[in-house]
mmCIF file of all heavy atoms in Angstrom:
data_model
loop_
_atom_site.group_PDB
_atom_site.id
_atom_site.type_symbol
_atom_site.label_atom_id
_atom_site.label_comp_id
_atom_site.label_asym_id
_atom_site.label_seq_id
_atom_site.Cartn_x
_atom_site.Cartn_y
_atom_site.Cartn_z
ATOM 1 N N VAL A 24 4.301 9.773 3.838
ATOM 2 C CA VAL A 24 4.377 8.327 3.614
ATOM 3 C C VAL A 24 3.353 7.605 4.491
ATOM 4 O O VAL A 24 2.777 6.592 4.096
ATOM 5 C CB VAL A 24 5.813 7.784 3.795
ATOM 6 C CG1 VAL A 24 6.222 7.683 5.260
ATOM 7 C CG2 VAL A 24 5.970 6.443 3.098
ATOM 8 N N ARG A 27 0.005 8.110 2.722
ATOM 9 C CA ARG A 27 -0.033 7.253 1.537
ATOM 10 C C ARG A 27 -0.386 5.822 1.933
ATOM 11 O O ARG A 27 -1.233 5.179 1.304
ATOM 12 C CB ARG A 27 1.313 7.285 0.809
ATOM 13 C CG ARG A 27 1.317 6.447 -0.465
ATOM 14 C CD ARG A 27 2.642 6.448 -1.159
ATOM 15 N NE ARG A 27 3.585 5.552 -0.521
ATOM 16 C CZ ARG A 27 4.812 5.311 -0.957
ATOM 17 N NH1 ARG A 27 5.267 5.945 -2.036
ATOM 18 N NH2 ARG A 27 5.612 4.478 -0.326
ATOM 19 N N ASP A 47 1.822 10.752 -2.087
ATOM 20 C CA ASP A 47 3.012 10.262 -2.774
ATOM 21 C C ASP A 47 3.806 11.412 -3.394
ATOM 22 O O ASP A 47 5.036 11.414 -3.363
ATOM 23 C CB ASP A 47 2.605 9.249 -3.848
ATOM 24 C CG ASP A 47 3.799 8.606 -4.508
ATOM 25 O OD1 ASP A 47 4.567 7.917 -3.801
ATOM 26 O OD2 ASP A 47 3.966 8.784 -5.734
ATOM 27 N N TRP A 50 5.605 13.024 -0.570
ATOM 28 C CA TRP A 50 6.695 12.134 -0.158
ATOM 29 C C TRP A 50 7.886 12.335 -1.101
ATOM 30 O O TRP A 50 9.024 12.432 -0.657
ATOM 31 C CB TRP A 50 6.174 10.699 -0.158
ATOM 32 C CG TRP A 50 7.116 9.566 0.087
ATOM 33 C CD1 TRP A 50 7.281 8.483 -0.725
ATOM 34 C CD2 TRP A 50 7.964 9.324 1.222
ATOM 35 N NE1 TRP A 50 8.182 7.595 -0.168
ATOM 36 C CE2 TRP A 50 8.618 8.099 1.026
ATOM 37 C CE3 TRP A 50 8.244 10.046 2.377
ATOM 38 C CZ2 TRP A 50 9.529 7.555 1.934
ATOM 39 C CZ3 TRP A 50 9.151 9.506 3.291
ATOM 40 C CH2 TRP A 50 9.781 8.283 3.068
ATOM 41 N N GLY A 51 7.623 12.429 -2.384
ATOM 42 C CA GLY A 51 8.687 12.673 -3.361
ATOM 43 C C GLY A 51 9.326 14.040 -3.185
ATOM 44 O O GLY A 51 10.548 14.180 -3.259
ATOM 45 N N LEU A 90 18.945 3.700 2.891
ATOM 46 C CA LEU A 90 19.013 2.784 1.743
ATOM 47 C C LEU A 90 17.844 1.804 1.754
ATOM 48 O O LEU A 90 17.284 1.484 0.698
ATOM 49 C CB LEU A 90 20.344 2.044 1.721
ATOM 50 C CG LEU A 90 21.540 2.879 1.296
ATOM 51 C CD1 LEU A 90 22.825 2.060 1.411
ATOM 52 C CD2 LEU A 90 21.369 3.408 -0.123
ATOM 53 N N ALA A 91 17.464 1.330 2.932
ATOM 54 C CA ALA A 91 16.311 0.429 3.026
ATOM 55 C C ALA A 91 15.035 1.140 2.582
ATOM 56 O O ALA A 91 14.221 0.570 1.840
ATOM 57 C CB ALA A 91 16.167 -0.086 4.461
ATOM 58 N N ILE A 92 14.861 2.394 3.003
ATOM 59 C CA ILE A 92 13.690 3.181 2.592
ATOM 60 C C ILE A 92 13.672 3.329 1.073
ATOM 61 O O ILE A 92 12.632 3.149 0.432
ATOM 62 C CB ILE A 92 13.685 4.555 3.284
ATOM 63 C CG1 ILE A 92 13.388 4.399 4.777
ATOM 64 C CG2 ILE A 92 12.672 5.504 2.625
ATOM 65 C CD1 ILE A 92 13.663 5.647 5.596
ATOM 66 N N LEU A 93 14.819 3.661 0.500
ATOM 67 C CA LEU A 93 14.895 3.852 -0.953
ATOM 68 C C LEU A 93 14.648 2.548 -1.703
ATOM 69 O O LEU A 93 13.946 2.535 -2.722
ATOM 70 C CB LEU A 93 16.247 4.454 -1.335
ATOM 71 C CG LEU A 93 16.498 5.880 -0.833
ATOM 72 C CD1 LEU A 93 17.933 6.309 -1.119
ATOM 73 C CD2 LEU A 93 15.504 6.863 -1.415
ATOM 74 N N ALA A 94 15.194 1.447 -1.217
ATOM 75 C CA ALA A 94 14.982 0.152 -1.872
ATOM 76 C C ALA A 94 13.506 -0.256 -1.796
ATOM 77 O O ALA A 94 12.945 -0.756 -2.776
ATOM 78 C CB ALA A 94 15.867 -0.916 -1.223
ATOM 79 N N LEU A 95 12.901 -0.021 -0.646
ATOM 80 C CA LEU A 95 11.476 -0.344 -0.498
ATOM 81 C C LEU A 95 10.592 0.521 -1.386
ATOM 82 O O LEU A 95 9.485 0.125 -1.741
ATOM 83 C CB LEU A 95 11.043 -0.175 0.963
ATOM 84 C CG LEU A 95 11.505 -1.249 1.939
ATOM 85 C CD1 LEU A 95 11.227 -0.823 3.375
ATOM 86 C CD2 LEU A 95 10.823 -2.578 1.624
ATOM 87 N N GLU A 96 11.086 1.698 -1.753
ATOM 88 C CA GLU A 96 10.277 2.652 -2.522
ATOM 89 C C GLU A 96 10.112 2.262 -3.984
ATOM 90 O O GLU A 96 9.170 2.699 -4.643
ATOM 91 C CB GLU A 96 10.896 4.052 -2.420
ATOM 92 C CG GLU A 96 10.102 5.149 -3.090
ATOM 93 C CD GLU A 96 8.684 5.301 -2.535
ATOM 94 O OE1 GLU A 96 8.411 4.892 -1.393
ATOM 95 O OE2 GLU A 96 7.842 5.834 -3.278
ATOM 96 N N VAL A 97 10.991 1.427 -4.501
ATOM 97 C CA VAL A 97 10.972 1.131 -5.940
ATOM 98 C C VAL A 97 9.615 0.579 -6.389
ATOM 99 O O VAL A 97 9.006 1.107 -7.325
ATOM 100 C CB VAL A 97 12.125 0.166 -6.319
ATOM 101 C CG1 VAL A 97 12.009 -0.273 -7.769
ATOM 102 C CG2 VAL A 97 13.478 0.836 -6.075
ATOM 103 N N ALA A 98 9.116 -0.455 -5.744
ATOM 104 C CA ALA A 98 7.855 -1.075 -6.184
ATOM 105 C C ALA A 98 6.660 -0.129 -6.054
ATOM 106 O O ALA A 98 5.904 0.030 -7.029
ATOM 107 C CB ALA A 98 7.612 -2.378 -5.425
ATOM 108 N N PRO A 99 6.461 0.535 -4.893
ATOM 109 C CA PRO A 99 5.320 1.460 -4.822
ATOM 110 C C PRO A 99 5.436 2.614 -5.824
ATOM 111 O O PRO A 99 4.435 3.020 -6.412
ATOM 112 C CB PRO A 99 5.352 1.993 -3.386
ATOM 113 C CG PRO A 99 6.185 1.052 -2.626
ATOM 114 C CD PRO A 99 7.113 0.402 -3.599
ATOM 115 N N MET A 100 6.646 3.114 -6.013
ATOM 116 C CA MET A 100 6.834 4.235 -6.939
ATOM 117 C C MET A 100 6.426 3.831 -8.355
ATOM 118 O O MET A 100 5.667 4.551 -9.018
ATOM 119 C CB MET A 100 8.301 4.687 -6.923
ATOM 120 C CG MET A 100 8.603 5.799 -7.909
ATOM 121 S SD MET A 100 10.341 6.287 -7.911
ATOM 122 C CE MET A 100 11.130 4.803 -8.508
ATOM 123 N N LEU A 101 6.900 2.676 -8.809
ATOM 124 C CA LEU A 101 6.566 2.234 -10.160
ATOM 125 C C LEU A 101 5.069 1.951 -10.297
ATOM 126 O O LEU A 101 4.458 2.310 -11.310
ATOM 127 C CB LEU A 101 7.390 1.005 -10.530
ATOM 128 C CG LEU A 101 8.900 1.237 -10.641
ATOM 129 C CD1 LEU A 101 9.632 -0.074 -10.884
ATOM 130 C CD2 LEU A 101 9.219 2.257 -11.728
ATOM 131 N N ALA A 102 4.475 1.334 -9.289
ATOM 132 C CA ALA A 102 3.036 1.048 -9.339
ATOM 133 C C ALA A 102 2.230 2.338 -9.358
ATOM 134 O O ALA A 102 1.288 2.472 -10.153
ATOM 135 C CB ALA A 102 2.632 0.190 -8.145
ATOM 136 N N LEU A 103 2.587 3.281 -8.513
ATOM 137 C CA LEU A 103 1.827 4.539 -8.463
ATOM 138 C C LEU A 103 1.970 5.333 -9.760
ATOM 139 O O LEU A 103 1.017 6.003 -10.176
ATOM 140 C CB LEU A 103 2.245 5.359 -7.243
ATOM 141 C CG LEU A 103 1.675 4.806 -5.929
ATOM 142 C CD1 LEU A 103 2.418 5.361 -4.738
ATOM 143 C CD2 LEU A 103 0.190 5.100 -5.822
ATOM 144 N N TYR A 124 1.610 -2.287 -0.833
ATOM 145 C CA TYR A 124 2.240 -0.959 -0.853
ATOM 146 C C TYR A 124 1.881 -0.163 0.402
ATOM 147 O O TYR A 124 2.681 0.653 0.860
ATOM 148 C CB TYR A 124 1.853 -0.207 -2.126
ATOM 149 C CG TYR A 124 2.253 -0.971 -3.375
ATOM 150 C CD1 TYR A 124 1.425 -1.022 -4.476
ATOM 151 C CD2 TYR A 124 3.458 -1.665 -3.426
ATOM 152 C CE1 TYR A 124 1.776 -1.734 -5.606
ATOM 153 C CE2 TYR A 124 3.813 -2.395 -4.559
ATOM 154 C CZ TYR A 124 2.976 -2.424 -5.631
ATOM 155 O OH TYR A 124 3.328 -3.135 -6.748
ATOM 156 N N ILE A 127 4.314 -1.472 2.917
ATOM 157 C CA ILE A 127 5.640 -0.914 2.639
ATOM 158 C C ILE A 127 5.707 0.522 3.132
ATOM 159 O O ILE A 127 6.695 0.929 3.761
ATOM 160 C CB ILE A 127 5.978 -1.012 1.129
ATOM 161 C CG1 ILE A 127 6.253 -2.466 0.754
ATOM 162 C CG2 ILE A 127 7.165 -0.112 0.774
ATOM 163 C CD1 ILE A 127 6.393 -2.706 -0.741
ATOM 164 N N SER A 128 4.670 1.301 2.875
ATOM 165 C CA SER A 128 4.645 2.697 3.326
ATOM 166 C C SER A 128 4.729 2.778 4.847
ATOM 167 O O SER A 128 5.453 3.618 5.399
ATOM 168 C CB SER A 128 3.375 3.399 2.836
ATOM 169 O OG SER A 128 3.354 3.465 1.427
ATOM 170 N N GLN A 131 8.212 2.014 5.858
ATOM 171 C CA GLN A 131 9.075 3.167 5.586
ATOM 172 C C GLN A 131 8.895 4.245 6.653
ATOM 173 O O GLN A 131 9.879 4.867 7.070
ATOM 174 C CB GLN A 131 8.776 3.738 4.195
ATOM 175 C CG GLN A 131 9.250 2.852 3.072
ATOM 176 C CD GLN A 131 8.789 3.372 1.731
ATOM 177 O OE1 GLN A 131 7.585 3.555 1.500
ATOM 178 N NE2 GLN A 131 9.739 3.622 0.844
#
Side-chain angles (χ1 to χ4, degrees):
V24 76
R27 182 182 78 177
D47 185 63
W50 174 234
L90 286 176
I92 290 167
L93 294 173
L95 286 170
E96 184 59 23
V97 173
M100 177 182 65
L101 294 175
L103 285 163
Y124 302 140
I127 288 171
S128 296
Q131 289 173 303

